[in-house]
Amino acid sequence: MATFISGLIIGFVNCWEIALITLATGPFIVAAGGISNIFLHRLAENIQDAYAEAASIAEQAVSYVRTLCAFTNETLAKYSYATSLQATLRYGILISLVQGLGLGFTYGLAICSCAMQLWIGRFFVIHHRANGGEIITALFAVILSGL
């Protein structure tokens, strides 16, 4: 809590305009990360269910190994297990895709936000309303307080 409050104070003391812009862009970055986490959570539940189904098939095959061998159904058991693992593979690929896109979009927003704030800060430096150190200090103080 002390980091949050002190970061805001330092940011507003150095350059209150940049601090306000940083605060305004923060919710968009948090929302992008939150949306990707919601999708990741749902996919993680689905992959757990798929692994549970595969484990159930393997457990049944091991439990009834004599029956499988007697009726020569080993290939059927292997095929059932392999097809149940295909669902986990699809979910794993989807998780990787969502995680990559989500993190890329979240960090892309954060970097675009920093670039916009530095671009606006350029006008403050040109018009002698602030110097570069004050702008960078305000930017990073508010970002660190948000973390």
Side-chain angles (χ1 to χ4, degrees):
M1 194 66 168
T3 303
F4 176 71
I5 292 170
S6 62
L8 288 179
I9 291 171
I10 291 169
F12 278 101
V13 165
N14 280 293
C15 187
W16 65 272
E17 294 100 338
I18 294 294
L20 278 178
I21 294 170
T22 307
L23 280 175
T25 58
F28 296 108
I29 297 166
V30 171
I35 290 170
S36 70
N37 280 338
I38 288 170
F39 284 117
L40 283 173
H41 182 68
R42 288 183 184 163
L43 286 171
E45 288 175 352
N46 291 341
I47 202 168
Q48 287 290 59
D49 293 341
Y51 273 126
E53 181 182 332
S56 170
I57 291 171
E59 181 181 349
Q60 288 176 1
V62 170
S63 297
Y64 300 109
V65 69
R66 289 184 187 181
T67 307
L68 283 173
C69 289
F71 293 108
T72 62
N73 284 335
E74 297 95 353
T75 56
L76 179 64
K78 285 190 277 186
Y79 179 75
S80 296
Y81 184 69
T83 55
S84 66
L85 284 179
Q86 288 299 317
T88 61
L89 177 65
R90 284 193 308 272
Y91 285 127
I93 291 170
L94 275 175
I95 284 175
S96 299
L97 181 67
V98 168
Q99 191 172 23
L101 289 174
L103 282 175
F105 190 69
T106 302
Y107 285 119
L109 279 177
I111 289 178
C112 286
S113 171
C114 286
M116 179 187 70
Q117 292 152 21
L118 291 173
W119 182 73
I120 292 171
R122 170 181 74 105
F123 293 111
F124 295 146
V125 171
I126 290 172
H127 291 74
H128 303 291
R129 293 178 57 192
N131 64 32
E134 292 171 342
I135 291 168
I136 295 293
T137 302
L139 174 68
F140 285 113
V142 175
I143 287 173
L144 289 176
S145 73
L147 292 177

